[in-house]
């Protein structure tokens, strides 16, 4: 019985020990399982997140590259120079641009939307890429209005192919004459290329009323993608894949969606725990001995605990730990792969973080880093200066010498800033724009020293470039109530003011914003003012000196704003020129002036009206047709309307100006060169122009009674004009001696405050009834 009890006790001990061993193994097994699950979730989430970030970066780079290149190509003088030549020359030039970025589509269309050049690529049977003229050449590009209003590249479907397309305006001066665009195919090849970069499968699909139409995909043969699978993933009912969708925009009325997906089995095949080996290991520990089982159990639980601990650390963003597992090859391999994965994640995050906060060219901190630094300084109540600077003529350097030289200049400037002896912190906002932060101090000595360091001379082969900088400064303590974006904006306002006024630097002042807001208000309101007839015409009389008769008037536009009252033309004419509204403004003035001429004619008053037309009008064939149609509609006699053109409008494009002016002259309009003497027209140009009149600028006339040099200039101008068969108008007459002196020299017409200031039509009618001057009237 005792022996039996001993054996029974041994059995109990053995059973108890085995039971404890099983408990240990089960705990180890459970810990391994939990760690594996966490590791799998981390791996799956990191894989799809990193793939999505890489995908978005690539797509955005393509979009930016297309947009930037389209803008560059649109400004290319060589391309525009062959625009009006034969179509073949333009196609060759267009193809040369296309090859620079290896785009799949290059096209250009005119302002009517007619595609006059279209090149598309295709693959031959042996896989070589060729280019051909697209089927859309000569056709209407009916999607133009959807594209030309957008700044970013868009999506378009042409001839069954889907393209990422970016357009840019081709301009002649300030006038848009057409559009040019470049595009890349969105196809299976793109999907495969992006799949290689992201290490996940990619599919592009167009959403329709019936589901999803797969347009391209990179799925492997064992994981085919179809509409049903795509829909299941979009609806999040598919459990065997990791996936992420990204909207790329619209194709017509349908959305284009990119789907990034990967089989969970593929992602996790190198991560999962080798369960068969683990079970075998448990069985072997039981067979060998209790002691061996305990040792093996400890050797298993220790690395598992390390893995769990590391997974938790990674979950909280700590990547510094390293797992070292000894004991079994499988666990050693698992820990190795785990460590490699952690290092890869750290490397990618460091790269992404650096790119997010540094300029890719200069490697200086970028705008994101600047905003962070400004927030820190504001939060710490530091007193500092925001110095925004750029070098002048950056665009000219790029256009003349190319991007490589332009980039080299930026790098030299960046290096010079880094080597500055001043205690500045440098940031690069892209291109020629930099921002410097420095503790608040006396601005003038600081800027003087800074310009001395920055105004450098760059040498490129045989070309020497002397860079000149302009600077805008904002003081943080003067704008404590503003956020950092507003502080940065104020330094930019000061910079623009310095540029405009040709100053080396400017400290921000509050009135700059007031002027900018006033100008912005007028810019936003001008179109409405033209459409709602808020404009009015004032008329300044002109006297025929030979008979001392009022025979002409000049129409001068004013803006009768409902809130701000009467706004002079100097405040809004430049806005109209810069915003493309000069055509509409001149058409309004022309229509109103001709209507007034008809009213006076019906009242028996025969007064010629002079209308000012701009460079934009003189270079636009549609305006001459417009004013000719009005002349014919109202049956105006020849020379009833005088069109005054400034010298600058003629100098801008003498050949085109001569052509248009000849066309107007043939249709019975009197033509006058306005502000003569202030422009740059030569005698040879003046001789060739089909004009009948010169108008001497007021700056030469208003001081004639006291300035002998002005008398010499005016006298010689009169002789020149008369020798060329031209009549002369002198404006700016302020006194009677000037009027009589001009009459004695044979000047035909006089205009100025001595005769009358510009008057609204009702006041002018009263003036004509009561003036002592004769009024030119129609004989009964």
């Amino acid at each position: 019985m005792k022996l039996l009890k001993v054996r029974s006790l041994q059995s109990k001990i053995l059973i108890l020990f085995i039971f404890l061993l099983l408990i240990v193994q089960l705990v180890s097994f459970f810990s391994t399982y939990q760690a594996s699950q966490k590791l799998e979730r981390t791996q799956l989430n990191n894989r799809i997140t990193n793939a999505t970030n890489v995908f978005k970066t690539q797509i955005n780079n393509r979009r930016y590259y297309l947009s930037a290149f389209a803008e560059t190509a649109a400004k290319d003088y060589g391309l525009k120079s062959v625009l009006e030549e034969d179509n073949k020359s333009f196609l060759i030039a267009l193809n040369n641009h296309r090859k620079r970025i290896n785009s799949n589509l290059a096209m250009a269309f005119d302002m009517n939307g007619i595609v006059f050049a279209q090149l598309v690529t295709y693959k031959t049977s042996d896989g070589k890429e060729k280019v051909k003229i697209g089927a859309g050449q000569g056709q209407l590009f009916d999607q133009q209005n959807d594209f030309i209003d957008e700044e970013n590249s868009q999506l378009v479907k042409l001839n069954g192919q889907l393209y990422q397309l970016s357009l840019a305006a081709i301009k002649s001066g300030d006038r848009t004459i057409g559009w040019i665009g470049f595009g890349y195919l969105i196809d299976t090849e793109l999907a495969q290329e992006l799949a290689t970069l992201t290490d996940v499968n990619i599919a592009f699909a167009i959403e329709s009323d019936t589901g999803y139409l797969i347009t391209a995909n990179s799925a492997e043969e064992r994981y085919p993608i179809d509409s049903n699978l795509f829909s299941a993933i979009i609806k999040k009912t598919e459990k065997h894949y990791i996936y992420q969708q990204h909207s790329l925009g619209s194709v017509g009325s349908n959305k284009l969606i990119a789907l990034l997906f990967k089989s969970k089995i593929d992602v996790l095949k190198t991560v999962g725990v080798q369960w068969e080996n683990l079970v075998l290991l448990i069985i072997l520990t039981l067979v060998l001995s209790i002691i061996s089982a305990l040792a093996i159990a400890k050797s298993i639980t220790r690395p598992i605990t390390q893995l769990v601990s590391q997974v938790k650390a990674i979950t909280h963003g700590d990547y510094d730990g390293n797992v070292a597992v000894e004991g079994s090859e499988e666990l050693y391999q698992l820990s190795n792969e785990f460590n490699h994965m952690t290092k890869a994640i750290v490397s990618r995050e460091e790269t992404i973080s650096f790119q997010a906060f540094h300029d890719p060219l200069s490697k200086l901190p970028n705008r994101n880093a600047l905003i962070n630094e400004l927030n820190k300084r504001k939060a710490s109540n530091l007193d500092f200066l925001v110095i925004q600077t750029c070098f002048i003529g950056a665009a000219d350097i790029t256009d003349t010498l190319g991007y490589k030289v332009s980039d080299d200049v930026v790098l030299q400037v960046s290096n010079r800033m880094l080597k500055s002896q001043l205690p500045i912190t440098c940031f690069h906002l892209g291109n020629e724009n930099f921002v410097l932060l420095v503790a608040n101090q006396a601005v003038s000595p600081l800027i003087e020293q800074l310009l001395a360091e920055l105004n450098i001379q760059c040498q490129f082969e045989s070309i020497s470039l002397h860079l000149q900088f302009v600077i805008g400064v904002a003081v943080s303590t003067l704008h404590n109530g503003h956020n950092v974006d507003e502080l940065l904006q104020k330094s930019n306002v000061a910079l623009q003011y310095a540029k405009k006024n040709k100053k080396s630097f400017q400290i921000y002042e509050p009135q700059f914003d007031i002027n900018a807001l006033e100008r912005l208000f007028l810019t936003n309101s001008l179109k409405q003012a033209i459409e709602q007839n808020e404009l009015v015409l004032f008329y300044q009389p002109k006297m025929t000196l030979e008979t001392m008769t009022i025979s002409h008037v000049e129409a001068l536009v004013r803006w009768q704003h409902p809130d701000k009252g009467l706004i002079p033309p100097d405040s809004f004419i430049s806005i109209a020129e810069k915003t493309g509204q000069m055509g509409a403004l001149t058409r309004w003035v022309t229509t109103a002036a001709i209507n007034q001429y008809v009213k006076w004619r019906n009242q028996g008053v025969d007064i010629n009206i002079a209308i000012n037309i701009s460079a934009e009008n003189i270079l636009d064939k549609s305006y001459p047709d417009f004013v000719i149609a009005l002349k014919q509609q109202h049956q105006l006699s020849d020379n009833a309307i005088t069109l005054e053109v400034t010298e600058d409008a003629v100098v801008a494009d003498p050949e085109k100006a001569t052509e248009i002016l000849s066309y107007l002259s043939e249709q019975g309009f009197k033509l006058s060169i306005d502000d003569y003497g202030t422009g740059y027209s030569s005698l040879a140009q003046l001789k060739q122009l089909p004009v009948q009149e010169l108008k001497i600028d007021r700056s030469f006339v208003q001081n004639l009674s006291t300035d002998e040099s002005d008398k010499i200039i005016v006298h010689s101008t009169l002789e020149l004009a008369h020798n060329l068969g031209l009549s002369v108008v002198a404006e700016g007459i302020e006194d009677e001696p000037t009027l009589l002196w001009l009459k004695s020299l044979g000047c035909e017409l006089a205009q100025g405050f001595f005769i009358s200031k510009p008057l609204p039509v009702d006041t002018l009618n009263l003036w004509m009834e009561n003036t002592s001057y004769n009024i030119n009237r129609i004989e009964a």
Side-chain angles (χ1 to χ4, degrees), residues 95 149 156 269 302 720:
N95 190 45
D149 294 333
V156 61
K269 62 185 177 181
R302 185 182 301 112
L720 169 67

Side-chain angles (χ1 to χ4, degrees), residues 391-642:
F391 56 87
I392 299 172
D396 294 335
I397 293 174
T398 302
D399 294 342
T400 306
L401 303 177
Y403 285 100
K404 184 179 184 303
V405 172
S406 177
D407 289 347
D408 286 344
V409 171
V410 171
L411 287 174
Q412 289 198 34
V413 172
S414 302
N415 292 333
R416 180 59 64 97
M417 288 184 176
L418 289 174
K419 295 176 181 178
S420 172
Q421 300 301 311
L422 295 170
I424 57 177
T425 306
C426 307
F427 300 86
H428 186 195
L429 303 189
N431 299 326
E432 72 275 23
N433 301 298
F434 296 84
V435 170
L436 312 176
L437 301 183
V438 62
N440 194 4
Q441 55 191 278
V443 175
S444 294
L446 174 68
I447 298 302
E448 183 178 348
Q449 184 177 348
L450 180 62
L451 288 175
E453 293 180 346
L454 291 182
N455 286 335
I456 59 177
Q457 192 164 352
C458 301
Q459 192 72 27
F460 299 96
E461 297 180 357
S462 60
I463 301 173
S464 181
L465 299 176
H466 182 74
L467 300 184
Q468 291 184 315
F469 285 76
V470 62
I471 291 174
V473 182
V475 184
S476 65
T477 51
L478 299 180
H479 312 290
N480 283 331
H482 300 279
N483 60 38
V484 296
D485 286 329
E486 292 174 327
L487 184 61
L488 192 60
Q489 183 261 344
K490 293 184 186 305
S491 68
N492 184 57
V493 168
L495 174 68
Q496 301 308 319
Y497 184 89
K499 275 187 181 179
K500 181 178 179 181
N501 293 277
K502 302 186 184 307
K503 301 174 68 176
S504 60
F505 79 96
Q506 176 65 52
I507 301 174
Y508 171 80
E509 296 179 10
Q511 61 264 32
F512 296 166
D513 277 339
I514 297 174
N515 296 336
L517 289 173
E518 178 72 16
R519 189 169 182 83
L520 179 61
F521 174 80
L522 295 179
T523 300
N524 292 335
S525 304
L526 181 57
K527 185 175 186 294
Q528 177 183 337
I530 297 172
E531 294 173 349
Q532 298 185 3
N533 286 322
E534 293 180 4
L535 304 177
V536 295
L537 287 183
F538 279 44
Y539 299 91
Q540 186 171 26
K542 296 181 183 179
M543 176 185 291
T544 298
L545 291 176
E546 183 179 359
T547 62
M548 304 298 281
T549 300
I550 303 300
S551 57
H552 297 68
V553 293
E554 180 180 2
L556 302 168
V557 67
R558 304 288 189 269
W559 183 351
Q560 187 65 54
H561 195 278
D563 298 322
K564 295 185 175 294
L566 195 66
I567 300 175
D570 291 346
S571 298
F572 63 88
I573 293 296
S574 62
I575 294 174
E577 291 174 340
K578 292 179 180 178
T579 58
Q581 300 183 74
M582 200 63 201
L585 178 61
T586 307
R587 281 170 168 77
W588 187 94
V589 171
T590 303
T591 302
I594 289 179
N595 288 338
Q596 183 58 47
Y597 175 85
V598 172
K599 288 182 182 178
W600 277 333
R601 185 180 63 184
N602 293 336
Q603 295 168 4
V605 177
D606 184 15
I607 292 184
N608 173 291
I609 297 182
I611 301 169
N612 293 286
I613 58 177
S614 68
E616 179 180 337
N617 302 135
I618 204 63
L619 298 177
D620 178 9
K621 182 65 164 59
S622 66
Y623 175 76
D625 292 337
F626 169 79
V627 71
I628 289 169
L630 283 177
K631 179 177 181 290
Q632 295 172 348
Q633 175 187 344
H634 294 287
Q635 298 180 350
L636 303 183
S637 60
D638 289 348
N639 296 330
I641 300 297
T642 298

Side-chain angles (χ1 to χ4, degrees), residues 107-120:
M107 64 184 295
F109 56 88
D110 59 23
M111 296 302 293
N112 296 318
I114 301 300
V115 178
F116 58 84
Q118 187 182 81
L119 298 173
V120 296

Side-chain angles (χ1 to χ4, degrees), residues 152-327:
N152 297 322
S153 59
Q154 300 293 310
L155 302 171
V156 61
K157 200 166 187 178
L158 298 175
N159 304 322
Q161 298 284 348
L162 186 61
Y163 294 92
Q164 183 181 9
L165 174 66
S166 181
L167 296 175
I170 305 174
K171 292 182 176 291
S172 176
D174 292 333
R175 184 171 60 92
T176 300
I177 60 175
W179 295 83
I180 187 170
F182 297 88
Y184 286 122
L185 273 171
I186 297 179
D187 57 2
T188 299
E189 185 176 338
L190 172 62
Q192 291 172 346
E193 177 183 344
L194 292 175
T196 301
L197 291 173
T198 60
D199 197 26
V200 297
N201 293 318
I202 292 177
F204 297 103
I206 296 177
E207 184 183 32
S208 66
D209 296 335
T210 58
Y212 295 92
L213 176 62
I214 308 301
T215 62
N217 74 88
S218 66
E220 300 173 13
E221 293 182 0
R222 55 189 174 136
Y223 298 117
I225 184 72
D226 56 26
S227 182
N228 292 332
L229 178 56
F230 195 98
S231 299
I233 291 177
I234 292 295
K235 295 176 182 176
K236 300 183 178 179
T237 58
E238 175 56 55
K239 303 297 184 183
H240 299 92
Y241 291 83
I242 56 171
Y243 46 84
Q244 187 73 266
Q245 63 171 309
H246 180 61
S247 177
L248 297 178
S250 298
V251 182
S253 60
N254 298 323
K255 291 183 179 178
L256 176 65
I257 295 175
L259 179 65
L260 288 77
F261 66 101
K262 187 82 171 180
S263 168
K264 291 182 178 180
I265 296 174
D266 284 350
V267 177
L268 300 175
K269 62 185 177 181
T270 60
V271 178
V273 176
Q274 305 293 326
W275 298 109
E276 297 83 356
N277 294 339
L278 186 59
V279 172
L280 179 60
L281 186 61
I282 294 173
I283 295 173
L284 289 175
T285 56
L286 290 173
V287 173
L288 293 174
S289 67
I290 295 175
I291 299 176
S292 299
L294 290 173
I296 293 173
K298 290 181 180 180
S299 68
I300 292 175
T301 56
R302 185 182 301 112
I304 297 302
T305 303
Q306 292 175 337
L307 286 174
V308 171
S309 177
Q310 185 64 11
V311 168
K312 289 182 178 179
I314 291 175
T315 303
H316 291 88
D318 181 9
Y319 300 101
D320 295 332
N322 196 43
V323 178
V325 176
E326 297 177 357

